[in-house]
Amino acid sequence: MLESNTKCVSCHRRFAKYKRIQSGEALCPICLERSLIKQIRKSLGRYSMLKPFAKVVFLITIENFSKHIAALELFKKATQDHHTQIIVGLPSIFQSFSKIIEALGYEIEVLHMPLDGIKTWIELIKLQQLLGLQLARRVKAKFLVLPYTREEVLIITFTSIFKKDKEGFSEVLPVKKNEISIIKPLYIVSLRDLTAYSYFRGFENSYISISKYEILEKLSEEMLIHLTHISPELLYASEKSIGLITKLKLGFGGKCKLCYGYTPLGKDICSYCERLLKIIHRL
């Protein structure tokens, strides 16, 4: 955060409060918000993620609660022209915050999330997707929104490549289209930028964020910090690389009928969903 008298390089009127490491831009909170909204709209258009007047379920995930509340606010502003109807899928662990979120103008549906037995971050992502898709079917929504940023997508990429996990690797895709499409509108948004916006909105101060769940082998903090310093050019190259690696890595296979991810030929459900269904059925 900036404490100097530097003027915002975008509006040239207000004082800058934040400096982007990637580009060196010094921005005021208002221009930072506008820039993030523009990035979200760019992803929505580039990957044909959303249709006008759509009903969506926006999933608040347990990994980064405060930042994903900030992402929810940005998504709402980015899709105002689409007249998008947003229903928030809120994990029961955050149910005490439901009135605060309702005060922001959102309809909430609480998701009971069985975390016992979840061992990896990919499993957590798949579990939240399955529960989010169940909610989307129940409320007749056509889109499930996952608020993962560029750095989080890259972590999924690296983790899956190192483990040679084709089923997990399919989670790097910006869109998984099916009866209910799974979309990642923050696909080109920097986690550091989102954190700054969350701070300026007061979400980082007001809410407890469960970003380090001990039972999970979530992403490496050192790697995450390193990724927030990557230049826009390298991030763009990473996006292109993900597209290429996806084609080479996944190769021939089917589509899981539950999470819409990769599954080996001859299987209708991926091994992740087979295991997670047993956990969900214990509810």
Side-chain angles (χ1 to χ4, degrees):
M1 305 303 165
L2 292 177
E3 298 296 337
S4 67
N5 293 327
T6 304
K7 287 293 183 69
C8 173
V9 299
S10 182
C11 67
H12 305 290
R13 293 184 292 110
R14 293 176 289 270
F15 288 116
K17 297 296 183 182
Y18 174 67
K19 184 176 182 179
R20 277 179 161 158
I21 289 181
Q22 303 99 315
S23 62
E25 294 174 288
L27 299 173
C28 67
I30 292 175
C31 288
L32 173 63
E33 178 185 84
R34 289 173 179 170
S35 175
L36 294 175
I37 290 172
K38 185 177 180 180
Q39 289 178 336
I40 292 173
R41 286 175 175 165
K42 185 176 181 180
S43 289
L44 290 171
R46 177 186 294 175
Y47 299 107
S48 302
M49 290 186 178
L50 202 60
K51 295 179 180 179
F53 303 98
K55 180 186 286 189
V56 309
V57 168
F58 190 104
L59 188 62
I60 301 296
T61 73
I62 72 166
E63 300 101 312
N64 270 314
F65 177 76
S66 58
K67 294 174 184 60
H68 289 170
I69 293 295
L72 171 63
E73 286 283 84
L74 288 169
F75 178 77
K76 178 182 179 180
K77 294 179 180 183
T79 59
Q80 280 180 339
D81 293 343
H82 283 72
H83 304 284
T84 305
Q85 181 183 349
I86 303 173
I87 297 173
V88 177
L90 184 68
S92 54
I93 196 169
F94 298 130
Q95 194 167 358
S96 60
F97 296 127
S98 59
K99 289 185 179 179
I100 298 174
I101 300 173
E102 287 172 346
L104 292 171
Y106 298 101
E107 179 182 346
I108 293 176
E109 292 284 345
V110 175
L111 296 174
H112 296 281
M113 211 162 281
L115 294 174
D116 291 341
I118 301 299
K119 299 177 181 177
T120 69
W121 190 36
I122 299 294
E123 281 187 353
L124 179 61
I125 292 172
K126 293 275 192 182
L127 172 66
Q128 293 178 109
Q129 278 188 56
L130 290 179
L131 295 174
L133 286 169
Q134 286 182 358
L135 172 59
R137 291 188 186 95
R138 191 167 76 245
V139 300
K140 295 181 171 56
K142 292 298 182 182
F143 299 90
L144 173 64
V145 181
L146 300 181
Y148 293 119
T149 60
R150 167 54 52 82
E151 290 87 350
E152 290 167 311
V153 171
L154 286 176
I155 289 291
I156 298 171
T157 304
F158 296 146
T159 302
S160 301
I161 289 175
F162 295 150
K163 292 187 174 182
K164 299 180 180 180
D165 180 7
K166 290 185 177 182
E167 294 178 339
F169 190 82
S170 60
E171 296 308 320
V172 308
L173 302 173
V175 180
K176 291 194 290 184
K177 293 188 176 182
N178 210 297
E179 169 196 2
I180 300 170
S181 293
I182 301 173
I183 64 175
K184 300 184 181 78
L186 279 78
Y187 193 70
I188 63 174
V189 170
S190 160
L191 179 60
R192 189 173 187 274
D193 288 356
L194 181 63
T195 302
Y197 175 74
S198 178
Y199 173 80
F200 291 134
R201 288 294 307 272
F203 299 137
E204 293 293 319
N205 298 328
S206 301
Y207 305 139
I208 298 171
S209 179
I210 298 184
S211 58
K212 298 175 183 176
Y213 228 77
E214 284 77 13
I215 63 170
L216 305 173
E217 58 160 27
K218 199 180 177 294
L219 45 84
S220 161
E221 292 297 332
E222 290 184 3
M223 187 182 292
L224 182 60
I225 292 171
H226 172 70
L227 287 173
T228 61
H229 291 70
I230 291 179
S231 68
E233 292 79 10
L234 186 53
L235 285 176
Y236 180 75
S238 300
E239 178 190 347
K240 295 299 181 183
S241 299
I242 286 173
L244 176 61
I245 295 172
T246 299
K247 295 177 182 177
L248 297 176
K249 179 78 177 172
L250 296 183
F252 294 104
K255 180 186 288 187
C256 176
K257 68 179 184 180
L258 295 181
C259 72
Y260 314 149
Y262 173 89
T263 190
L265 283 173
K267 290 189 66 177
D268 293 330
I269 301 176
C270 70
S271 59
Y272 280 103
C273 288
E274 286 180 347
R275 169 173 152 71
L276 292 172
L277 278 179
K278 297 175 183 178
I279 296 176
I280 292 173
H281 288 157
R282 294 177 196 160
L283 288 175

